[in-house]
DNA sequence: ATAACTTGCGTCATTCATGTTGCAAGTCAT
DNA sequence: ATGACTTGCAACATGAATGACGCAAGTTAT
């Protein structure tokens, strides 16, 4: 997909800029390019060299996050692994990405068709997984799958705000999300 | 609270501007004042006459929405009505406000202490209501009340995106929110 | 080692949003 | 009806963000 492999130099710079953009813009979506450059430890002109315009940077940020999102779901093998396992693994993986790239994933008006395509793909995978969960008897067959998916996204979004560090904490978070999704507030599940 | 009662003229203009700001900014938070003025059907200078700066307008918008939010919860008598009734009524009322003032309520970095105070008040009312629901046996006593409240907010936020018109639709939405909150995805409650 | 590339810095042009003011015409309250 | 207030319009001032250059110094790959 990349006809010309980037120089090691360049790649480091691009990554630094994207990470800085996530950090700065999540605090203030209207932050000027200069703040992003400063946070990335580069000159403002360098940002403009890598990303022609502010819009291009935002767009690239969205595409980058969408890619990580897609990888996170793929890694859970939602179409082949046992559905309850896949749901748990996908939750953990997506939580990780969302904690680090929350702005780029959520508060971004991504009008890019390429990004929309990835999100549609993930949505389709999510819905297939829910159907598999229904077949396994984990979800009632009369459940509204669209509402289910929206609640699932919303719970992940909410949980990611806690932004814990350790693996154990993220496991606990994922467990809580799935518990709440399937059984609502109340006693934790004893499976 | 208002030492000088506004002229009928002025009040209409102010309301039109606030409503336009909600509409325009929810579509594009960085929209220039001119777009807001246009949407309100007034000249740009008039907006500046009523609100000294952009920041002042945003702040007033947040304060206005916070007020409606507070009224919505108050009207449900959360401290005196039977807790399940209060929960339902508060959900319906807040959904109404949130549908019309979603931007001002949610996507607003309200640093104003006055607004923060109102939100804190509502949060306290919400938590008292949850305790009453625990006492009534509707919520397990081992529930994490903070997580519960955050999920409740998130579900209302998500439900409000459907933005239905009729009373019946909002009733259905509130029922779904509470059902999901208490029992998770699955068969609807048969109370 | 060398050729190609990248970066930082200073500089400049341009565009755009914001905020202000004065005045004529219209609206409101009493 | 009258005095006070509000609005639209046009014009102006200002500041900030964006984006583009060229050049000297440093880095990378082969």
């Amino acid at each position: 997909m990349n006809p010309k492999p980037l120089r090691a130099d360049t790649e480091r710079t691009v990554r630094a800029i994207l990470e800085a953009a996530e950090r700065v813009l999540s605090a203030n979506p209207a932050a000027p390019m200069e703040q992003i450059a400063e946070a990335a430890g580069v000159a403002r002109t360098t940002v403009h060299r890598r990303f022609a315009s502010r819009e291009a940077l935002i767009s690239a940020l969205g595409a980058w996050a969408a890619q990580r999102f897609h990888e996170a779901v793929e890694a859970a093998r939602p179409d082949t692994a046992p559905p309850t396992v896949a749901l748990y693994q996908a939750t953990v993986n997506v939580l990780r990405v969302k904690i680090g790239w929350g702005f780029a994933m959520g508060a971004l008006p991504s009008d890019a068709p390429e990004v929309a395509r990835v999100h549609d793909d993930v949505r389709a995978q999510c819905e297939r997984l829910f159907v598999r969960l229904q077949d396994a008897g984990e979800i009632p067959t009369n459940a509204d799958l669209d509402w289910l998916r929206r609640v699932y996204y919303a719970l992940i979004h909410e949980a990611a705000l806690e932004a814990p560090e350790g693996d154990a904490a993220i496991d606990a978070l994922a467990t809580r999300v799935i518990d709440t999704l399937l059984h609502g507030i109340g006693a934790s599940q004893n499976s």
Side-chain angles (χ1 to χ4, degrees), chain A:
Chain A
M1 190 173 281
N2 277 335
K4 297 191 177 181
L6 296 172
R7 224 169 82 167
D9 211 356
T10 308
E11 191 161 342
R12 248 180 300 143
T13 304
V14 171
R15 284 184 71 111
I17 293 173
L18 287 176
E19 287 170 9
E22 163 66 31
R23 245 176 302 143
V24 172
L25 293 179
S26 69
N28 171 22
M33 299 283 267
E34 178 131 31
Q35 279 186 35
I36 299 173
E38 188 184 12
V42 298
R44 189 178 65 92
T45 49
T46 300
V47 178
H48 272 102
R49 255 190 282 263
R50 293 298 147 213
F51 304 95
S53 67
R54 178 190 184 82
E55 191 185 351
L57 170 59
I58 304 276
S59 173
L61 182 59
W64 171 266
Q67 195 57 37
R68 310 271 292 194
F69 183 31
H70 189 252
E71 289 166 10
V73 176
E74 275 293 327
R77 309 245 167 226
D79 288 316
T80 55
T84 58
V85 174
L87 177 64
Y88 181 82
Q89 198 59 52
T91 305
V92 169
N93 294 348
V94 171
L95 269 175
R96 272 188 212 287
V97 175
K98 185 112 188 174
I99 286 170
W101 301 92
F103 172 78
M105 280 185 67
L108 211 59
S110 79
D111 42 0
E114 171 201 349
V115 174
R117 171 106 168 94
V118 174
H119 280 192
D120 285 352
D121 271 13
V122 171
R123 172 186 298 217
Q125 279 177 309
C126 186
E127 280 170 3
R128 285 199 301 275
L129 175 57
F130 286 156
V131 170
R132 293 185 63 217
L133 282 162
Q134 280 185 325
D135 292 345
E138 296 288 335
I139 295 176
T141 52
N142 68 342
D144 178 339
L145 288 193
D146 191 58
W147 172 247
L148 170 58
R149 189 189 50 77
R150 285 164 54 202
V151 170
Y152 181 47
Y153 278 26
L155 289 178
I156 289 178
H157 177 83
E158 194 59 42
L161 295 181
E162 296 185 19
E165 284 294 316
D167 282 8
I170 293 187
D171 277 332
L173 225 46
T175 302
R176 202 201 308 168
V177 165
I178 296 177
D179 238 50
T180 303
L181 180 67
L182 297 182
H183 308 108
I185 292 296
S188 35
Q189 178 186 21
N190 309 324
S191 65

